[in-house]
Amino acid sequence: MGVSDRNKTIGDHNMKLFRLCPFWQTATNSSSSPSTQNLNHSHKGSSNSVRHVAVNSSGLKSTTVSSVARSLLPAPRRLRLDPANNLYFPYEPGKQVRSAIRLKNRSKSHVAFKFQTTAPKSCYMRPPGGILAPGESLIATVFKFVEQPENNAKQMDQKSNVKFKIVSLKVKGGMEYVPELFDEQKDQVTVERVLRVVFLDAEHPSPAMEKLKLQLAEAEAALEARKKPPPDTGPRVVGEGLVIDEWKERREKYLARQHVEAVG
């Protein structure tokens, strides 16, 4: 018998055995399939868990980064300032000069504000603080004494070490302003702006100087309006003077009649 015939005989024999025992295939598939499925399931589960951990890790990282970023960002400003960065003063050495700045509440709540300066002995503000309703504005006046320059030279560009700072605080409507509000709620205080001093030549006109004059005039008008007493709205007696005059006239006629009778 040749080699090819022998291989064919062996193959036929194996085929008969496979047909006689078909459960081998089922057993093999059933025995191998669960293990394979479990392995695949465990692999998928591990990959899902890794992916879940990665998502949580990335989410935690992003949350941490966003919170750090929010802490580094400046707090939103509640006031709009005009001028925004400087306080302009006319340069007059040896005199007390004035500057003006407009403050407007740009938020939707009541806001308390307060001026601060590094030179309280030579500078002061009017008003030094107050409370603004939503959308309300006012012009504050800042007073400063200008010192004489060295060697009696006129130095328009001299740098001043004096700084002004405006801070704000969100408050409830109807409250009265007291400076202690900023000490009681330090964590809620926002620094609106640190202003630097800029001197203007008082002898030469400029847009900045004209704007300063207009703001100072408006601040003076507002101050005079606040000084006026409120109008008296109480009840008034109409015709009181007429009644008194008529009574006097009748009394004089009565006395004159008594005098004539006495003489007669």
Side-chain angles (χ1 to χ4, degrees):
M1 183 181 294
V3 176
S4 60
D5 295 336
R6 186 181 297 109
N7 291 337
K8 184 177 180 181
T9 304
I10 295 172
D12 294 340
H13 179 70
N14 292 336
M15 195 66 180
K16 291 179 180 179
L17 291 175
F18 182 78
R19 291 176 180 176
L20 292 174
C21 303
F23 62 91
W24 282 358
Q25 183 180 6
T26 305
T28 304
N29 292 336
S30 62
S31 62
S32 62
S33 178
S35 61
T36 305
Q37 291 175 359
N38 292 334
L39 179 61
N40 293 333
H41 180 71
S42 61
H43 177 68
K44 292 180 180 178
S46 61
S47 62
N48 291 334
S49 61
V50 172
R51 189 181 298 108
H52 183 66
V53 172
V55 170
N56 289 341
S57 176
S58 62
L60 179 60
K61 184 177 181 181
S62 63
T63 303
T64 306
V65 171
S66 62
S67 61
V68 173
R70 284 196 300 269
S71 63
L72 295 177
L73 290 175
R77 293 188 174 93
R78 305 181 178 101
L79 301 176
R80 181 183 290 112
L81 308 180
D82 183 26
N85 301 308
N86 304 318
L87 278 177
Y88 295 98
F89 292 90
Y91 186 73
E92 299 178 3
K95 296 182 180 180
Q96 187 182 65
V97 295
R98 297 180 301 164
S99 181
I101 182 171
R102 182 186 296 274
L103 293 80
K104 182 176 182 179
N105 184 2
R106 57 188 298 181
S107 68
K108 297 181 180 180
S109 61
H110 286 70
V111 172
F113 69 92
K114 183 174 71 171
F115 277 92
Q116 295 178 345
T117 178
T118 57
K121 294 183 178 180
S122 60
C123 304
Y124 68 94
M125 288 67 64
R126 188 178 66 190
I131 296 179
L132 295 175
E136 185 181 2
S137 64
L138 63 81
I139 294 183
T141 307
V142 184
F143 298 82
K144 184 184 187 314
F145 180 79
V146 181
E147 298 179 356
Q148 292 284 353
E150 297 180 359
N151 301 326
N152 201 23
K154 188 174 182 179
Q155 301 176 359
M156 291 298 303
D157 297 331
Q158 66 174 343
K159 295 182 179 180
S160 176
N161 296 325
V162 179
K163 294 181 180 180
F164 295 88
K165 183 169 65 174
I166 302 177
V167 295
S168 67
L169 175 66
K170 180 180 177 181
V171 296
K172 296 180 180 180
M175 294 183 61
E176 293 185 1
Y177 172 78
V178 289
E180 289 75 17
L181 288 173
F182 294 86
D183 297 331
E184 297 171 356
Q185 305 180 34
K186 291 183 179 180
D187 298 338
Q188 305 298 326
V189 175
T190 299
V191 177
E192 293 290 337
R193 190 78 69 177
V194 177
L195 305 171
R196 67 186 186 94
V197 174
V198 175
F199 290 108
L200 301 175
D201 191 350
E203 298 178 358
H204 295 82
S206 63
M209 193 66 189
E210 294 299 324
K211 181 178 180 180
L212 175 59
K213 291 180 179 180
L214 292 176
Q215 287 186 331
L216 288 173
E218 187 176 350
E220 287 295 329
L223 179 62
E224 292 297 328
R226 289 195 297 268
K227 287 182 179 179
K228 291 182 179 180
D232 188 7
T233 58
R236 299 180 62 183
V237 179
V238 180
E240 181 179 359
L242 297 177
V243 173
I244 294 176
D245 293 340
E246 185 179 359
W247 179 81
K248 287 183 178 179
E249 185 179 358
R250 290 182 177 180
R251 183 173 181 276
E252 290 177 356
K253 289 182 179 181
Y254 173 77
L255 292 177
R257 190 182 306 113
Q258 292 292 331
H259 179 70
V260 171
E261 292 177 355
V263 172

